[in-house]
Amino acid sequence: MSTTQTIGFIGFGAMASRMAANLVHIGYQAFAYTPSGKGGNGSVPFLKSAAEVAQKSDIVLVCVPDDEALAAAMYGPQGALAGMQANGLLLNTSSVSPEASAALLEAGRAKNVVVIDCPVSGSTPEAEAGNLVVLAGGDDAAMARAKPIFDCIGKATVHAGPSGSGTRLKLVINGIMGAGLAAVAEAIAYGLAAGLERNMLFDALDEVAVISPHHKRKIKAAKIGDFAPQFPSRLMQKDMRLLLDATARLAVPTPTLAAVTQQLSLGRRAAPESDYSALIGVMEQIVANDA
């Protein structure tokens, strides 16, 4: 692919930096901004504000951790919207609340900026390989404009529906992911407390069909004590909190997800920057201390 387009990144953490590398590889020019103002390399220079990045870019991709960071990056005289031109394209890959997503859509419309909410499913290995699944909300015309970006960063794009649908679908997916990990952690803790041999237990769980490939990867890493942050505990717990708030607003009873959020809060307290699968290690330590 050959392109003369420039893409600006607002937020340049573990996921965005890998997405940027794939886009630069196929010919996009890129700029980036982070609140710290630090970073940058030969292929992706850093600029002083989100507005400056937006002014220099044909497309803006934002990847920040939460509602507060999104608001700080998008609004005000130094925010990205202040620098965007009419008919600009803003891709919000952040995992945020439906309310934050809706507010950004309306602010974009007021400036004649096309906003797509497009969080991604996958962790750093998928981001590095360009194998993310993009969960996008927006109309067909907007989706067509974003397709070259989505095809580069992901192996598939799910057009979830109108604006806001991608945000909601991401909460569904992360809720299932968090609940599955919490169940795995508790079951492993029982097995260890009951006297099952540790290596046998972890290896057996890799053989059975009831555990997803994602969670099998987490179990393999936990076996050797590797909790390097592919998806930090603080972000997983944040997404569960957003999901609980969203379900409460619609009066959907979610007692299982409420209990899981408490378990993931334990993981966040113990190891906020470690992978969320560190909950397996936390539970193992609890039963080890009781032995």
Side-chain angles (χ1 to χ4, degrees):
M1 174 182 175
S2 177
T3 180
T4 59
Q5 287 190 308
T6 298
I7 184 164
F9 285 83
I10 310 299
F12 207 70
M15 295 293 286
S17 60
R18 288 166 168 82
M19 288 189 273
N22 288 324
L23 288 161
V24 169
H25 179 72
I26 65 169
Y28 283 90
Q29 289 186 301
F31 296 100
Y33 164 76
T34 61
S36 69
K38 298 178 181 179
N41 53 47
S43 59
V44 184
F46 275 41
L47 302 179
K48 294 181 179 179
S49 71
E52 186 178 357
V53 167
Q55 288 168 353
K56 292 180 177 291
S57 302
D58 300 300
I59 300 165
V60 172
L61 186 151
V62 56
C63 186
V64 294
D66 53 33
D67 289 16
E68 294 77 14
L70 183 68
M74 294 294 102
Y75 308 128
Q78 298 301 311
L81 285 173
M84 294 193 71
Q85 302 299 314
N87 202 37
L89 179 62
L90 175 59
L91 307 177
N92 180 23
T93 68
S94 313
S95 296
V96 294
S97 70
E99 292 72 29
S101 184
L104 182 58
L105 174 68
E106 290 304 313
R109 283 176 175 164
K111 288 210 62 174
N112 196 25
V113 169
V114 176
V115 179
I116 301 179
D117 56 295
C118 48
V120 295
S121 181
S123 296
T124 50
E126 289 79 17
E128 188 163 344
N131 284 335
L132 297 165
V133 177
V134 182
L135 314 170
D139 62 32
D140 290 342
M143 292 292 294
R145 288 183 63 184
K147 185 177 186 299
I149 304 292
F150 294 161
D151 287 350
C152 177
I153 66 174
K155 65 179 180 180
T157 298
V158 177
H159 187 182
S163 296
S165 300
T167 297
R168 292 175 173 86
L169 180 57
K170 179 63 184 292
L171 292 181
V172 170
I173 291 168
N174 279 19
I176 294 169
M177 184 169 69
L181 190 281
V184 164
E186 291 181 3
I188 287 175
Y190 160 73
L192 294 172
L196 293 177
E197 197 277 323
R198 186 179 187 276
N199 286 342
M200 179 283 298
L201 174 59
F202 279 79
D203 291 343
L205 295 177
D206 191 44
E207 299 295 333
V208 295
V210 297
I211 297 177
S212 73
H214 170 81
H215 291 116
K216 286 184 178 183
R217 188 169 78 192
K218 299 302 183 185
I219 291 168
K220 286 180 179 178
K223 180 184 176 183
I224 61 173
D226 178 9
F227 300 113
Q230 296 179 354
F231 187 15
S233 294
R234 60 183 173 82
L235 297 182
M236 182 75 251
Q237 189 265 357
K238 177 264 302 182
D239 285 353
M240 295 301 297
R241 173 175 56 80
L242 293 179
L243 178 56
L244 275 189
D245 180 68
T247 61
R249 289 173 185 270
L250 295 176
V252 177
T254 53
T256 299
L257 296 178
V260 166
T261 302
Q262 295 302 310
Q263 280 289 74
L264 291 168
S265 293
L266 173 65
R268 177 174 180 170
R269 279 285 181 181
E273 299 303 328
S274 296
D275 191 80
Y276 85 106
S277 60
L279 180 61
I280 297 173
V282 171
M283 293 298 293
E284 181 173 359
Q285 188 62 42
I286 288 172
V287 298
N289 287 340
D290 288 343

